[in-house]
Amino acid sequence: NWPCAKVIWFSGWGLLGGIPSQIPGDNTIKMNNRIDSNYQYLNDQYPTKKELIAPFGKAWANEIATQPSIESSLFYSDQNHPGVPGQLSNAAVLYTMIFKQDPSLSSYVPSGVSSTTAAFLRSQAYATVLTPYIYNSHQMPQTTPVVVNNSGVLTVTGNYSAYQWYLNNVAIAGATSSTYTPTAAGSYMVIATGTNNCANNWSFPVVVSSATA
């Protein structure tokens, strides 16, 4: 019953190849898209209590559409559960949603996956979460302050009660207002406390290449 806790629904994947015996012309991508649409439908039934949705299946669908040869490797040998590449894709989706960071920055490569494949899966997962219609329909704005760079001034949009700015993941002393003027180049983000006193709203980083001295 902690008021700051957030539920994340796992919008997963279907069967390898879909169920063409029941739905003519079905395939993995179509089945994953149906699953995701159904999670959105269920979420819409509670308009005052919408939860976050992790688009695992959508990420797989995008990965398969971009690189068809990867399809079977996403699945375990039972053609249902995720194989190691599928697990890596799922982890990258969750990492993006929770930490608001690009998982491509990680150099970890699990056993049985090439570094090229790992990089591809991370980039596709990140791009999937940030696809505008997925970002909005899967409720990312609930926990994600938007930071806009207005002529060198970083500004948080939305209604929050407190702010803490960070440079390269280190808190900036005294930077506690809704705006901040960078004095150094680097990666900036903000943690904003909502009107419910929950400081669980992290922004995605904004990279500043030059700043006011």
Side-chain angles (χ1 to χ4, degrees):
N1 293 325
W2 187 48
C4 296
K6 300 300 284 186
V7 173
I8 300 179
W9 287 6
F10 286 13
S11 175
W13 51 94
L15 302 174
L16 177 60
I19 48 174
S21 61
Q22 300 177 42
I23 302 177
D26 196 32
N27 57 37
T28 305
I29 292 177
K30 291 179 179 178
M31 190 172 188
N32 283 9
N33 286 338
R34 286 198 308 277
I35 290 171
D36 193 77
S37 294
N38 286 334
Y39 268 93
Q40 292 182 58
Y41 171 79
L42 290 173
N43 216 17
D44 288 341
Q45 304 314 298
Y46 303 91
T48 62
K49 185 61 176 174
K50 289 190 176 183
E51 306 292 358
L52 298 170
I53 304 175
F56 296 142
K58 291 293 288 187
W60 286 29
N62 290 340
E63 290 152 9
I64 294 167
T66 304
Q67 188 175 306
S69 61
I70 204 170
E71 180 174 0
S72 61
S73 71
L74 294 172
F75 292 85
Y76 186 62
S77 58
D78 64 1
Q79 301 184 0
N80 184 2
H81 292 89
V84 175
Q87 294 174 43
L88 178 61
S89 175
N90 295 344
V93 166
L94 271 185
Y95 183 89
T96 300
M97 293 184 69
I98 294 173
F99 297 105
K100 316 293 173 63
Q101 298 281 338
D102 185 349
S104 298
L105 299 175
S106 171
S107 60
Y108 171 71
V109 178
S111 177
V113 179
S114 70
S115 58
T116 300
T117 297
F120 169 75
L121 294 171
R122 290 191 181 99
S123 66
Q124 287 291 312
Y126 187 71
T128 297
V129 173
L130 292 185
T131 300
Y133 89 90
I134 293 178
Y135 183 92
N136 291 305
S137 65
H138 291 57
Q139 305 305 310
M140 283 297 289
Q142 278 193 32
T143 60
T144 313
V146 175
V147 177
V148 179
N149 189 340
N150 290 319
S151 301
V153 179
L154 304 180
T155 303
V156 181
T157 64
N159 185 24
Y160 300 97
S161 60
Y163 308 86
Q164 176 60 63
W165 291 91
Y166 291 75
L167 171 58
N168 299 329
N169 295 320
V170 177
I172 304 170
T176 57
S177 69
S178 61
T179 63
Y180 182 74
T181 302
T183 58
S187 179
Y188 288 84
M189 55 89 64
V190 68
I191 295 181
T193 300
T195 54
N196 57 357
N197 292 321
C198 294
N200 60 352
N201 304 287
W202 297 24
S203 73
F204 279 93
V206 174
V207 176
V208 174
S209 56
S210 61
T212 303

